[in-house]
Amino acid sequence: SQSSQVEAFPVSTGPLAYESALLRDAAGLAAATGPLRSVHVIGVGAGRALEGTRDAIPGVPIRAWDISEPMVDACRRHVAER
């Protein structure tokens, strides 16, 4: 059986601290199986988390997905502005 750990993040740290922790942990777990070839972000929304993803996993291609066409458009605009 696999163990789980639940941690609370203080509201004052905001969602980016939570996302950064998830990305750091996911990158570490994925790297244990070999080099990362790509990252898929499902439910990307407006794309604000993509910068953190790029920072956490530099040099790895990122594919972003969302079911909402308006969110895909918003993400494209956000990425174009960076």
Side-chain angles (χ1 to χ4, degrees), residues 18-74:
Y18 173 71
E19 292 167 353
S20 296
L22 288 177
L23 288 166
R24 182 190 64 241
D25 292 348
L29 290 169
T33 63
L36 296 176
R37 293 185 305 248
S38 65
V39 173
H40 292 254
V41 179
I42 310 299
V44 71
R48 290 185 201 104
L50 293 178
E51 292 172 59
T53 303
R54 188 178 301 130
D55 292 345
I57 311 169
V60 177
I62 300 170
R63 302 259 342 238
W65 307 83
D66 202 288
I67 195 168
S68 167
E69 194 63 38
M71 286 291 99
V72 171
D73 292 339

